Amino acid sequence: MYKRLILLIFVLVFAAACAAPAGDSGTTENAAPETASEEMAESGEPKFGGILTYGLVGDPPSIDPHTQRGAADATVKAMVYDTLLRWDREMNIVPNLAESWELIDDTTIQLKLVEGVLFHDGSELTAEDVVFTFERIKNPDVGATSAGTFKDITFEQIDTYTVQMNLPAPNAAIFQNLARGDTAIVSKAWVESGADLNQEMMGSGPFTYVGREPGVSFEIARNPNYFRAPLPYLDGVKFIPYTDETAKVTAIRTGEIDFIDYVPWLDMDEIEQLAAAGELKFGSDSEALFMTLYMNPSEPPFDDKRVRQAVAWAINRDAVGRSIFFGRGKAMTGSFIPATFLGYDASLEGTYGYDQEKAMALLDEAGWRDEDGDGVREAYGVEGVEDGTPFMVNFLATNQFAMHYNLAEFAQAMLTEVGIGGTIELVDWPTRTQRRLDVQPWEIQADGLGQSVTDPSFMDIYYHSTRGQWPGRMHFAVPEVDALLDQAISIYDEAERAALYNEVDKIMLDEAFFVYVWRREQGEAMQPYVMGFSHTFGANSYMVLPEVWLDK
């Protein structure tokens, strides 16, 4: 009976994903979020040819397909590599390298690969490559960002074009995870030949790697043998990394480049006005990406929940939103789950707010008092800290993105007002992405993060001590949360799943390992002749680049 229920759910979901017309995001509770963009995937006969000049948010710090280090590297890697499944424009899961799949039983899935898919070196992609890929992902020496997700899942080759997945338990999020960019399929022969995947790129995706000049450009060319013919339409894409936001906006406004991602919030009003006048196009949403502060709760001073909660109460989210994001987005005062997702609970809004008195009372209670009147609190009776030790922390952020270092500056100023002192350390983006892998005591990191899938199972990444990425980086584990997440991912009833994720939400808001600040608007701008593009969820809009064409 249970197997039939799973199969029925699968058939309904798959049918809806394949049958939904373009522009129709459906009406289910877990439908893709609405965006502020008008439909930009225009009708008309696409034209082949042309090089799209793309203003990229930064220089990709990693090109290994299994180690994601931010939006810039995710964008370029998605053009060269391909995944078993993918999201369409409405964030429905659809076939990709796997043309179909079958649920053999509760914990066994067989995937049928598209026959004749070629890697860029002309060799055929087979089940052997898929099995090798996931073994590589699970290899701790690789440092793959999806290693925790797949650590207990085995893959075996049934025949040349059939792969079997053996799960330890039913997994309601498995199809979402097979669409993640950091699960891209690589050639076993190529990797085993000695290829350095952080210096070379060779996949089966819509574009082939041409080369890069670090900090200047990153170029890809049309793959004429792409299995999703007739895509792609473009002859290629030239990515130009911009660290200067003013220069990037000037370039799109003057026609120097065709497309920019991460439109600066300062310029969004002007870009919208130009779009209304027909001089540019613009699309955005405010659901997936957010700004946050986080700490190491395994040692003082942040091993005390009252101290972490004090930080949460000391942050004026509305001031951050007005000053850094010009009001583009919304304050995060409650649920970590976006409002359009399964499991969102509106009653959690207001769990935190801006209340300096409450922050100071919590610090007093935790043994941090300013008895010498110098404006910085000292420890008195705090376990593991010598009496009289000043509460001084290091605020870490990157100097590449204003939203990051501005958040660090605002946080430092706001925490100073409640007696927590500190200095700001700004580092380049590659160093920043490395430092987030091991958060230090006496450190608050300011960061911009996001949800990579449109299912509440994204919480695994942030909260699950073995499947997730962040608990290991921040040195925490909450067994009760692990158990709830294990239960939630193993069942298919949406009401039951929603209740479990909601409970996780409540527990982790109380723990305050992360201080969620602002859910920011994310958008792209392009010239009027850039056709076939539409903004999708969060920073995932690059997924539609194979369908983009130039009407000029």
Side-chain angles (χ1 to χ4, degrees), residues 255-541:
E256 180 183 338
I257 58 176
D258 302 319
F259 186 104
I260 62 171
D261 61 13
Y262 281 74
V263 174
W265 298 271
L266 171 64
D267 302 288
M268 279 188 177
D269 283 348
E270 180 190 2
I271 295 294
E272 282 188 328
Q273 291 169 8
L274 291 171
E279 297 178 40
L280 289 175
K281 296 177 183 177
F282 174 72
S284 68
D285 80 90
S286 303
E287 287 294 326
L289 306 179
F290 60 91
M291 303 304 296
T292 185
L293 305 169
Y294 48 81
M295 302 146 273
N296 178 338
S298 68
E299 298 183 39
F302 298 117
D303 58 342
D304 189 324
K305 180 168 65 175
R306 294 169 296 186
V307 174
R308 302 191 300 268
Q309 290 176 341
V311 173
W313 283 107
I315 301 300
N316 186 337
R317 292 161 178 79
D318 288 334
V320 169
R322 288 193 305 270
S323 301
I324 301 177
F325 300 100
F326 299 87
R328 294 282 187 158
K330 48 195 171 187
M332 296 181 72
T333 65
S335 181
F336 182 37
I337 301 173
T340 55
F341 278 33
L342 177 74
Y344 171 74
D345 183 355
S347 71
L348 294 178
E349 300 305 328
T351 298
Y352 291 106
Y354 179 48
D355 191 328
Q356 290 183 327
E357 294 300 321
K358 183 171 289 189
M360 290 189 286
L362 285 165
L363 291 170
D364 288 341
E365 186 181 325
W368 294 93
R369 301 187 299 277
D370 180 18
E371 295 196 354
D372 61 9
D374 67 351
V376 177
R377 294 171 180 268
E378 298 87 26
Y380 294 98
V382 176
E383 186 175 353
V385 183
E386 184 178 351
D387 280 358
T389 300
F391 200 151
M392 297 287 292
V393 300
N394 181 48
F395 293 86
L396 179 69
T398 181
N399 56 15
Q400 181 165 325
F401 303 123
M403 61 180 172
H404 288 242
Y405 62 73
N406 285 340
L407 176 59
E409 291 167 349
F410 271 85
Q412 181 204 34
M414 292 169 183
L415 292 179
T416 296
E417 292 181 359
V418 298
I420 298 175
T423 56
I424 296 176
E425 180 186 3
L426 300 179
V427 297
D428 61 33
W429 184 240
T431 302
R432 176 70 189 88
T433 60
Q434 189 64 34
R435 290 276 295 275
R436 67 158 57 130
L437 301 180
D438 185 16
V439 182
Q440 297 298 302
W442 300 91
E443 181 175 79
I444 295 177
Q445 295 200 11
D447 213 342
L449 303 174
Q451 286 94 14
S452 58
V453 299
T454 57
D455 181 86
S457 60
F458 77 84
M459 297 172 90
D460 276 14
I461 295 172
Y462 291 96
Y463 297 154
H464 198 286
S465 65
T466 59
R467 288 199 301 271
Q469 299 169 20
W470 290 92
R473 298 172 176 180
M474 295 167 60
H475 309 283
F476 74 81
V478 184
E480 180 185 5
V481 165
D482 285 353
L484 288 167
L485 290 172
D486 288 341
Q487 187 179 356
I489 206 169
S490 68
I491 59 178
Y492 292 85
D493 182 274
E494 288 199 344
E496 291 182 36
R497 294 186 74 219
L500 291 165
Y501 285 118
N502 180 247
E503 186 62 25
V504 170
D505 213 3
K506 292 176 182 176
I507 292 170
M508 296 308 282
L509 281 171
D510 183 63
E511 289 289 354
F513 299 139
F514 291 87
V515 174
Y516 300 114
V517 179
W518 190 259
R519 202 173 287 282
R520 70 180 193 262
E521 186 171 347
Q522 185 73 23
E524 304 85 27
M526 66 218 71
Q527 302 298 340
Y529 53 75
V530 176
M531 313 295 279
F533 183 88
S534 60
H535 177 83
T536 59
F537 182 66
N540 294 317
S541 294

Side-chain angles (χ1 to χ4, degrees), residues 48 80 82 97 114-125 202-208 221-232 234:
F48 288 87
V80 176
D82 243 327
L97 293 175
V114 177
E115 297 184 19
V117 174
L118 300 179
F119 285 112
H120 298 157
D121 65 357
S123 62
E124 187 177 15
L125 187 154
M202 200 282 289
S204 62
F207 296 91
T208 63
R222 184 177 189 269
N223 173 12
N225 300 314
Y226 189 45
F227 77 99
R228 290 176 60 203
L231 302 178
L234 297 168

Side-chain angles (χ1 to χ4, degrees), residues 22-33:
D24 180 5
S25 61
T27 57
T28 61
E29 182 179 0
N30 202 29

Side-chain angles (χ1 to χ4, degrees), residues 120-285:
H120 298 157
D121 65 357
S123 62
E124 187 177 15
L125 187 154
T126 68
E128 184 179 21
D129 299 300
V130 174
V131 173
F132 173 81
T133 292
F134 285 94
E135 288 304 311
R136 181 178 192 269
I137 285 171
K138 292 188 285 183
N139 181 347
D141 293 336
V142 172
T145 44
S146 63
T149 300
F150 293 96
K151 70 181 184 66
D152 296 323
I153 299 173
T154 62
F155 291 75
E156 59 180 298
Q157 179 177 348
I158 302 303
D159 58 41
T160 304
Y161 304 109
T162 306
V163 177
Q164 181 165 297
M165 297 175 59
N166 303 302
L167 286 63
N171 188 323
I174 189 61
F175 298 118
Q176 291 268 345
N177 286 318
L178 290 176
R180 286 171 50 174
D182 56 1
T183 65
I185 305 304
V186 296
S187 163
K188 177 183 179 183
W190 178 64
V191 176
E192 290 186 338
S193 73
D196 182 346
L197 274 66
N198 207 28
Q199 298 297 324
E200 310 169 63
M201 302 181 80
M202 200 282 289
S204 62
F207 296 91
T208 63
Y209 177 56
V210 174
R212 70 184 298 191
E213 185 177 350
V216 178
S217 65
F218 191 109
E219 296 186 54
I220 57 177
R222 184 177 189 269
N223 173 12
N225 300 314
Y226 189 45
F227 77 99
R228 290 176 60 203
L231 302 178
Y233 298 121
L234 297 168
D235 284 340
V237 181
K238 183 176 183 179
F239 295 100
I240 302 173
Y242 280 89
T243 56
D244 185 319
E245 293 181 342
T246 300
K248 179 167 69 172
V249 172
T250 299
I252 191 70
R253 194 173 55 227
T254 60
E256 180 183 338
I257 58 176
D258 302 319
F259 186 104
I260 62 171
D261 61 13
Y262 281 74
V263 174
W265 298 271
L266 171 64
D267 302 288
M268 279 188 177
D269 283 348
E270 180 190 2
I271 295 294
E272 282 188 328
Q273 291 169 8
L274 291 171
E279 297 178 40
L280 289 175
K281 296 177 183 177
F282 174 72
S284 68
D285 80 90

